[in-house]
Amino acid sequence: MALLPILRYPDPRLHTVAALVSRVDDRIRKLIKDMADTMYAAPGVGLAATQVDIHRRVIIVDISETRDQLNVFINPEITARSGAADCEEGCLSVPGIFEKVKRAERIKLRALDAHGRSFELAAAGMLAVCIQHEIDHLEGKVFVEYLSRLKQQRILAKFKKQQRRVM
Ligand code: K1U
Ligand code: ZN
């Protein structure tokens, strides 16, 4: 089992736009395995490769109570959005902060699986919210960027203070 260090906001590497995966090979499958170990240990319901400083378009999500329904999305693309959800979100890169964010309630998505096969999925509710949150990470966007300027300033100050304490 390999646990990968998770980048913490406001680390500038969280703003990197991830590159497409050109070939789904054993290196990508090892990354997925290590990301899953890291997400389950955290614990979290999702993780993007960006958060472990690997700038490739790979995300994983498991919203099951039993923690045994891992969804892997490589090169994910949202092809349709509908409805509106106002869901409380957290982020393993911004620990301890939970805030409501407006997202699409339902999405359709195209991606590759861990064998490089293309598939399509319709997702709603928490699964849809979590997938949108993780795809934002691949675009270099952290959920706090949806919040008011004041909230962002407070969160930034809190994390900069924490950073100074560990240095
Ligand atoms: O991307 C991440 O940092 C993971 C994040 C995913 C997420 C959570 C909530 C809404 C949208 C996206 C987390 O997993 S934060 C931790 C969390 O919410 C949780 C952890 C354990 C059990 C249940 C939830
Ligand atoms: Zn996150």
Side-chain angles (χ1 to χ4, degrees):
M1 170 155 149
L3 298 185
L4 306 170
I6 296 176
L7 297 178
R8 257 194 191 204
Y9 182 80
D11 192 309
R13 290 172 289 183
L14 285 169
H15 300 303
T16 310
V17 178
L20 282 170
V21 172
S22 53
R23 204 160 69 94
V24 180
D25 55 14
D26 285 346
R27 273 177 50 183
I28 292 292
R29 282 184 280 274
K30 168 83 166 77
L31 169 64
I32 291 164
K33 167 81 175 68
D34 293 348
M35 285 173 61
D37 289 345
T38 304
M39 178 189 73
Y40 288 124
V45 291
L47 193 68
T50 307
Q51 292 175 277
V52 292
D53 203 19
I54 305 287
H55 302 286
R56 294 286 176 273
R57 301 189 81 84
V58 178
I59 64 170
I60 58 170
V61 175
D62 186 348
I63 59 158
S64 70
E65 298 225 331
T66 44
R67 314 292 284 143
D68 60 358
Q69 286 169 42
L70 185 69
N71 292 281
V72 174
F73 304 101
I74 300 166
N75 297 342
E77 272 178 85
I78 294 177
T79 55
R81 294 178 164 82
S82 60
D86 203 2
C87 184
E88 187 146 281
E89 299 192 13
C91 182
L92 297 174
S93 296
V94 197
I97 304 292
F98 295 88
E99 293 283 351
K100 282 195 168 176
V101 174
K102 284 190 173 61
R103 303 271 189 193
E105 154 71 7
R106 286 174 295 280
I107 58 170
K108 284 186 182 161
L109 177 89
R110 189 183 308 121
L112 302 179
D113 68 13
H115 305 286
R117 295 181 297 228
S118 178
F119 68 99
E120 288 184 316
L121 178 90
M126 184 60 190
L127 180 60
V129 166
C130 201
I131 291 170
Q132 291 171 80
H133 176 116
E134 301 311 333
I135 291 178
D136 271 355
H137 277 303
L138 301 182
E139 293 300 325
K141 187 159 185 169
V142 180
F143 87 112
V144 296
E145 291 164 41
Y146 290 104
L147 307 179
S148 69
R149 190 172 292 211
L150 180 64
K151 278 190 179 172
Q152 286 189 51
Q153 281 168 351
R154 284 187 181 150
I155 294 166
L156 197 57
K158 178 179 168 175
F159 280 84
K160 281 193 168 162
K161 197 170 163 188
Q162 280 181 8
Q163 223 173 32
R164 282 198 297 274
R165 266 201 230 115
V166 293
M167 278 175 133

